[in-house]
Amino acid sequence: MAVPQVDKKMLGELEAMGFPTTRSIRALHFSGNSNLESAVNWLLEHESDPDIDRLPLIPQEIPIECGDTSNEVRNDIQGMRDPVQEQKPEERTETGRHNETSQLERELNADEQEEENRKRILALYKQKRDEEGRARGQKRNQLQDDQRERIRASKDLMEAKRTLEENQRKRMMESRIADQEEVKRARERIRQRIADDRAERRRRLGLPQENPAAASVAIITPTKVKPVERIVTSEQLRDCLRTLKKNHKDDSARVTRAYQTLLKIIANIVKNPAEEKFRRIRLSNPIFMDRVGNLQGGVEFLELCGFQRLSASGYLVMPRDRADMALLNAAGVEIASAMENPYFGLLSK
């Protein structure tokens, strides 16, 4: 096998255009050594071939020696020489000059044609490179636009999330204020009912009616010292949940069920704070005992949230005035965090 022979002149021109020697030889060979345009077109069509930088190999021609030329061939050659020899010297000279002139004109025309072909090929090559550059630029611009769109969508999502959280906080604050106003109105109604009952009793007994101003002063003047309520922190809630999980770490399904039950109790009170049935739990309830009551830390967690254990009646009760929405929301967050974190309570001391 040997490297095929190609036109040296066209090979040099391809190398001058910037094509590697190996690719130029391959292009000239497979385009038939016809012209530069065919070679450049072949290069542009096959520039992504895996073997583009590999020299082509063809079977090497082995010369075979032949015997003497036959007599007929020698006679034909002699016959071709005789008319030339019979020409006069002047005719041969004129014919030679004419042939030289024609050959020179053909060479000039060929050079001009090759120059035009070279210019056309360079123009085509430059045009294709420009088109590829524009295509790459469009693709790069598209990628940049997509990235900007993703960033804008992410910003919009974060802004929507922030707005939603802000609205939730506002609703919780408004609900808490409304609850406080309702408690205040209920106290006023109770106070008014007590005053009406006292006036009715005095009327039945024939006693003179009290001075409203004096009565109001008598009611407002005595002040009771409100016991200091214990402030429950998120860390206390978290420690109670950790204790529950540590004490029953061998039964993860039961711990998960207990967390779900506690979260359901807290959510019902937050959604319906005025419903007494959600703020009252019978300790002897078999379902409650199986899921929460028999687990160390379950009832304690509810007591931290505001429930009170009534030993006489056997109930856990949360008075309406002890339903602290902020504390209940914090408790719900801690339970959800404990359910989502598989290592909750296992890595702490």
Side-chain angles (χ1 to χ4, degrees):
M1 304 296 289
V3 178
Q5 298 295 324
V6 296
D7 189 288
K8 302 296 184 183
K9 186 176 181 180
M10 287 192 291
L11 177 62
E13 291 178 354
L14 287 174
E15 291 176 345
M17 293 180 188
F19 295 106
T21 303
T22 303
R23 295 192 180 189
S24 301
I25 293 174
R26 195 175 185 85
L28 289 171
H29 170 67
F30 287 107
S31 63
N33 268 323
S34 56
N35 51 56
L36 282 176
E37 185 175 358
S38 300
V40 172
N41 289 334
W42 189 94
L43 280 170
L44 296 177
E45 293 174 0
H46 297 81
E47 62 180 353
S48 59
D49 291 353
D51 56 349
I52 188 66
D53 293 316
R54 188 184 305 166
L55 283 172
L57 297 177
I58 59 175
Q60 186 175 5
E61 296 182 0
I62 302 175
I64 302 176
E65 296 183 358
C66 301
D68 296 338
T69 307
S70 64
N71 293 331
E72 294 180 357
V73 176
R74 284 197 298 271
N75 291 334
D76 292 339
I77 294 174
Q78 186 65 33
M80 294 171 65
R81 289 176 179 174
D82 290 342
V84 177
Q85 292 176 355
E86 291 176 359
Q87 291 180 356
K88 294 181 181 181
E90 293 81 1
E91 294 177 355
R92 288 199 300 272
T93 304
E94 184 65 26
T95 301
R97 285 197 298 270
H98 180 71
N99 291 336
E100 290 176 358
T101 303
S102 299
Q103 180 66 24
L104 181 60
E105 291 177 354
R106 285 196 296 273
E107 291 178 355
L108 291 174
N109 292 333
D111 291 340
E112 292 177 357
Q113 185 65 29
E114 289 180 358
E115 184 65 25
E116 293 178 359
N117 292 337
R118 187 183 301 109
K119 291 180 180 179
R120 186 170 64 256
I121 290 169
L122 288 175
L124 290 174
Y125 182 72
K126 183 178 179 182
Q127 181 181 359
K128 183 171 182 180
R129 292 301 181 190
D130 293 341
E131 291 176 354
E132 291 178 352
R134 286 193 295 271
R136 286 193 298 270
Q138 292 176 356
K139 186 175 182 180
R140 184 169 55 253
N141 293 335
Q142 183 65 31
L143 291 175
Q144 292 177 353
D145 293 340
D146 293 343
Q147 185 177 5
R148 285 194 291 268
E149 182 63 23
R150 286 195 298 271
I151 293 173
R152 186 190 64 78
S154 177
K155 289 182 178 179
D156 293 343
L157 181 61
M158 292 177 64
E159 182 64 22
K161 184 178 180 181
R162 187 191 63 78
T163 303
L164 179 61
E165 292 176 351
E166 184 66 24
N167 291 336
Q168 289 178 347
R169 285 195 295 271
K170 288 181 179 179
R171 285 195 296 271
M172 289 176 60
M173 185 62 67
E174 291 173 357
S175 176
R176 189 171 183 180
I177 293 174
D179 292 341
Q180 292 175 353
E181 292 294 332
E182 180 63 25
V183 170
K184 186 183 296 185
R185 286 193 294 270
R187 289 176 179 174
E188 289 295 332
R189 286 195 298 270
I190 293 172
R191 192 176 292 116
Q192 184 63 38
R193 187 178 303 169
I194 292 172
D196 293 342
D197 291 342
R198 183 184 294 110
E200 180 65 20
R201 286 195 300 270
R202 293 182 68 86
R203 186 183 64 77
R204 289 178 181 178
L205 295 174
L207 298 175
Q209 295 295 330
E210 294 180 351
N211 187 0
S216 61
V217 172
I219 294 173
I220 296 174
T221 301
T223 58
K224 293 183 179 180
V225 178
K226 188 177 181 180
V228 178
E229 296 182 357
R230 185 179 59 170
I231 299 176
V232 179
T233 63
S234 298
E235 185 62 30
Q236 291 175 325
L237 297 170
R238 200 175 303 121
D239 288 341
C240 192
L241 294 174
R242 288 197 194 102
T243 302
L244 191 150
K245 187 165 187 178
K246 284 182 180 179
N247 292 332
H248 307 279
K249 60 183 178 182
D250 296 332
D251 193 351
S252 59
R254 192 175 184 187
V255 172
T256 301
R257 190 166 60 250
Y259 285 166
Q260 292 172 349
T261 304
L262 291 173
L263 185 60
K264 182 66 175 176
I265 293 171
I266 299 301
N268 286 336
I269 298 175
V270 172
K271 294 178 182 177
N272 306 280
E275 290 289 339
E276 185 179 357
K277 63 180 181 179
F278 295 128
R279 295 183 283 105
R280 186 180 181 87
I281 301 172
R282 184 162 54 89
L283 290 173
S284 59
N285 187 315
I287 298 177
F288 174 79
M289 292 299 295
D290 179 63
R291 296 185 178 183
V292 177
N294 291 332
L295 277 68
Q296 184 179 356
V299 176
E300 290 79 359
F301 183 83
L302 292 175
E303 289 177 342
L304 287 176
C305 293
F307 279 90
Q308 295 178 355
R309 188 195 301 260
L310 302 180
S311 302
S313 60
Y315 278 89
L316 277 176
V317 178
M318 178 184 289
R320 181 66 182 87
D321 57 350
R322 293 198 60 181
D324 189 342
M325 294 301 160
L327 176 60
L328 293 175
N329 282 310
V333 171
E334 294 300 332
I335 297 173
S337 176
M339 293 173 62
E340 294 173 359
N341 184 2
Y343 303 105
F344 178 81
L346 300 179
L347 300 179
S348 60
K349 295 181 180 181

